[in-house]
Amino acid sequence: MKLNQLIEFAKSHQVCFETYGCQMNVNDTEIAWSILQKKGYQRTSDVAEADVVLLVTCSIREKAEQTIWNRLRQLTAMKKRRLKTRVPMKIGVLGCMAERLKSELLEREKLLDVLAGPDAYRDLPRLLSVAHGGQQASNVLLSLEETYADVMPVHHSPQGYSAFVSIMRGCDNMCSYCIVPFTRGRERSRPVSSILEEVHILSEQGVKEVTLLGQNVNSYRDTSEEQFCSSEPGQLSRGFRTVYRARPGGLRFADLLDRVSLIDPGMRIRFTSPHPKDFPDEVLQLIKERSNICKQIHLPAQSGSSTVLQAMRRGYSREAYLELVDNIKRIIPGVSLSSDFISGFCGETEEDHLQTLSLIREVRYNVGFLFAYSMRKKTHAFHRLQDDVPAEVKQRRLKELICMFREEATKVNSALIGCTQLVLVEGESKRSAQDLCGRNDGNVKVIFPRQEVAGQPTDTGTDTHTSPINPGDYVLVKIESANSQSLRGHALSHTSLSDSATRLPDHRHDGQLASVARHGV
């Protein structure tokens, strides 16, 4: 089909995206939509109106894949009914599951029309044209170079105040439990110029918070320009190592974070998901010095046992991890820490589990993402280790980890009562239309009554006029109560990011929320 024919063909079709899994998949959806939009496709959120339904999928755990299989059964039943009434529906699977289960998807789901891996979104218009011609179409080839640097994502956040900006793709760490290197390929970084351009555009659109995104975001290394290349290897956290040879040269994460934070002092900067090995002091010092870089670090531990960490091929011991935690807290007082943990990994003993519990108690994270281990094909663990911890033991240990997180959460959050927090307002609280909610610097959910408050101070004094609080506003909130999931208080006044940096006391980041995301196998 020629280009002009393809565009005319696309204009008559509506596409519906359903996104599952991590924030990288949300970003992939924005990239895929940007590509299809330029070819004339229309977008709908109603599956009943869609001619094309694309599932952006996750393979990180068995439960995530089962969710997709169940949804495919529903869609194929809908497709069969559609054949008798109107234009046929085309169904596509994008992302990690498309790459991992390509043969099974095409053979098991006979009504599946399109498969596109994470590096094949540019090919979507062609794949869909083939599918509309009556044939199955797939492209799941992984690339050593694709970063979609020249594709400007169409951000589809309903609030519009925050956005995620992808800075790198893939992962080289090869942790023994992880499927990511096999579904998303090797690490490659997006050119810094492309990233800065996107952040500039988001700033001009009024976005108040940007999160830099990558599978191993702080291993960012841009070698797109000759001036960035040198023979110096990148620095690792003290006591950490990699399974691959250190690569010299390139513009590193600290350089990128520095440049991004200077674009708009009124825009919050976050990043996820990092690896503990890539936190040299220069990154930590920058986070401390820049008021618009959030004092919140995700520090995935996975286990508190050195024995299990070695089996996981994490590249550090319990002692090295705790030394890093101490260094972070020394350089960034009051920092908020979150983490990931896996219960019941191959060979994990009861003593190993107790060491993980003690690590959680000692570090006092603000947020925890905890999962029972789910073995994935292709991984090092699948080929070399035994999934020998019974399912009921995994679940019992998972519950104990969650309980420990919540106990520490209650203690930590109670320390915030009486403090004033800077909150970026997200919108109406899910539980009450009378309340608003937002997040503080440490990514803590803060809930407060909907009311008019005073404007922010000016050069001539405090603005005595009151005005409503809207999504995207910065407000100061006095904390009055706390639990393991959220903080509650009342709004004092409107403010700005720069103004709050001078008005809030040094303890504005002290004590943060601990909430727990729990997922089984």
Side-chain angles (χ1 to χ4, degrees):
M1 187 178 291
K2 295 180 179 180
L3 179 60
N4 60 341
Q5 293 176 313
L6 179 60
I7 292 175
E8 289 302 315
F9 166 81
K11 285 180 179 178
S12 64
H13 289 82
Q14 295 197 76
V15 59
C16 177
F17 287 93
E18 293 186 4
T19 307
Y20 300 84
C22 69
Q23 191 58 47
M24 283 297 296
N25 282 356
V26 176
N27 184 258
D28 278 8
T29 301
E30 294 170 346
I31 290 171
W33 170 228
S34 177
I35 291 167
L36 291 179
Q37 186 182 51
K38 289 181 179 178
K39 296 300 183 183
Y41 277 83
Q42 306 298 310
R43 185 168 181 175
T44 178
S45 58
D46 187 351
V47 174
E49 295 180 355
D51 303 297
V52 178
V53 180
L54 299 177
L55 308 186
V56 186
T57 62
C58 174
S59 276
I60 198 73
R61 275 168 287 277
E62 183 179 346
K63 185 177 180 181
E65 289 187 351
Q66 190 57 52
T67 299
I68 303 301
W69 285 119
N70 293 339
R71 182 56 175 155
L72 281 174
R73 280 191 284 271
Q74 295 171 357
L75 290 173
T76 50
M78 185 183 300
K79 179 178 179 178
K80 289 177 181 177
R81 294 193 298 271
R82 178 81 66 86
L83 288 172
K84 303 176 182 178
T85 60
R86 50 170 293 187
V87 177
M89 174 193 290
K90 301 301 178 183
I91 302 172
V93 169
L94 315 185
C96 296
M97 195 168 166
E99 197 288 327
R100 198 181 89 79
L101 296 172
K102 44 190 175 289
S103 298
E104 189 174 354
L105 280 163
L106 290 173
E107 294 171 5
R108 178 170 163 182
E109 299 298 331
K110 299 299 183 182
L111 296 180
L112 192 64
D113 303 289
V114 170
L115 276 181
D119 294 342
Y121 301 142
R122 293 181 192 273
D123 201 25
L124 270 175
R126 184 191 67 82
L127 295 174
L128 286 170
S129 69
V130 171
H132 283 294
Q135 297 179 321
Q136 286 185 322
S138 71
N139 182 348
V140 294
L141 295 176
L142 292 176
S143 168
L144 293 175
E145 299 177 348
E146 181 63 87
T147 64
Y148 299 105
D150 60 328
V151 178
M152 194 59 63
V154 179
H155 297 285
H156 204 64
S157 169
Q159 298 90 353
Y161 67 88
S162 66
F164 289 81
V165 175
S166 175
I167 70 168
M168 57 87 68
R169 299 177 72 84
C171 183
D172 288 347
N173 289 320
M174 303 298 291
C175 299
S176 60
Y177 55 83
C178 188
I179 192 67
V180 168
F182 304 98
T183 58
R184 286 190 170 268
R186 305 301 295 271
E187 282 181 15
R188 60 269 190 207
S189 296
R190 181 178 170 188
V192 65
S193 57
S194 169
I195 297 168
L196 297 180
E197 178 187 4
E198 184 175 348
V199 175
H200 269 292
I201 292 172
L202 291 171
S203 174
E204 292 170 355
Q205 293 173 349
V207 169
K208 297 291 185 67
E209 181 178 276
V210 160
T211 301
L212 305 180
L213 198 62
Q215 259 85 28
N216 190 27
V217 68
N218 55 339
S219 69
Y220 177 85
R221 174 176 165 269
D222 177 18
T223 58
S224 63
E225 298 183 29
E226 187 176 346
Q227 61 182 349
F228 299 154
C229 299
S230 71
S231 59
E232 294 183 8
Q235 291 183 323
L236 298 180
S237 307
R238 286 186 291 275
F240 287 68
R241 64 187 184 280
T242 65
V243 297
Y244 56 85
R245 183 179 300 174
R247 300 177 183 85
L251 186 140
R252 299 287 176 164
F253 183 66
D255 302 307
L256 173 66
L257 193 58
D258 175 34
R259 298 184 187 198
V260 168
S261 67
L262 292 174
I263 290 174
D264 183 350
M267 176 190 282
R268 270 182 174 172
I269 308 299
R270 301 186 188 275
F271 56 89
T272 196
S273 179
H275 190 286
K277 68 179 173 59
D278 293 307
F279 276 111
D281 286 358
E282 61 177 340
V283 172
L284 303 177
Q285 288 290 349
L286 184 63
I287 295 172
K288 174 187 177 182
E289 293 166 6
R290 296 288 162 80
S291 61
N292 64 332
I293 302 178
C294 292
K295 309 302 182 280
Q296 182 251 336
I297 292 177
H298 188 58
L299 205 64
Q302 306 301 355
S303 175
S305 162
S306 293
T307 301
V308 174
L309 289 170
Q310 183 175 5
M312 289 178 166
R313 304 176 82 195
R314 289 291 288 171
Y316 55 86
S317 64
R318 174 192 175 97
E319 292 72 24
Y321 182 88
L322 287 173
E323 182 181 345
L324 173 61
V325 169
D326 290 341
N327 192 45
I328 291 173
K329 291 182 176 181
R330 177 183 61 81
I331 294 176
I332 313 172
V335 66
S336 170
L337 298 177
S338 56
S339 194
D340 300 338
F341 284 92
I342 296 172
S343 71
F345 184 68
C346 306
E348 183 188 70
T349 66
E350 201 64 27
E351 175 59 29
D352 295 326
H353 171 61
L354 292 175
Q355 289 183 41
T356 301
L357 287 171
S358 71
L359 185 78
I360 294 171
R361 186 185 302 112
E362 183 171 348
V363 175
R364 304 186 75 188
Y365 302 98
N366 73 310
V367 175
F369 299 93
L370 290 83
F371 304 92
Y373 176 60
S374 174
M375 181 170 275
R376 306 280 77 197
K377 292 180 180 179
K378 295 187 179 181
T379 62
H380 178 87
F382 179 80
H383 292 292
R384 302 291 181 85
L385 303 176
Q386 294 293 319
D387 187 9
D388 54 1
V389 178
E392 62 272 18
V393 175
K394 291 180 183 178
Q395 292 301 320
R396 189 259 300 168
R397 291 176 182 174
L398 178 61
K399 290 179 181 178
E400 291 177 2
L401 294 180
I402 291 172
C403 183
M404 179 61 68
F405 258 97
R406 288 178 174 164
E407 286 180 10
E408 294 304 313
T410 303
K411 298 174 186 176
V412 171
N413 290 341
S414 295
L416 271 181
I417 296 173
C419 295
T420 299
Q421 296 281 292
L422 171 68
V423 176
L424 177 58
V425 182
E426 296 180 347
E428 190 176 285
S429 171
K430 292 182 179 179
R431 295 192 176 184
S432 172
Q434 303 305 311
D435 291 334
L436 296 173
C437 69
R439 293 185 182 272
N440 70 357
D441 187 89
N443 213 22
V444 178
K445 180 178 283 189
V446 182
I447 303 169
F448 52 94
R450 184 194 299 270
Q451 65 185 71
E452 292 194 356
V453 296
Q456 68 185 79
T458 64
D459 294 338
T460 58
T462 302
D463 185 352
T464 57
H465 294 89
T466 61
S467 59
I469 301 173
N470 298 309
D473 288 349
Y474 283 113
V475 292
L476 295 177
V477 177
K478 183 73 172 289
I479 303 303
E480 298 170 329
S481 64
N483 59 37
S484 64
Q485 300 298 314
S486 62
L487 308 172
R488 281 189 169 270
H490 69 275
L492 301 175
S493 68
H494 290 276
T495 188
S496 66
L497 191 57
S498 56
D499 185 57
S500 66
T502 60
R503 295 178 66 196
L504 287 177
D506 290 341
H507 64 255
R508 65 187 178 277
H509 303 299
D510 288 353
Q512 303 295 348
L513 168 74
S515 63
V516 180
R518 177 186 176 184
H519 297 267
V521 179

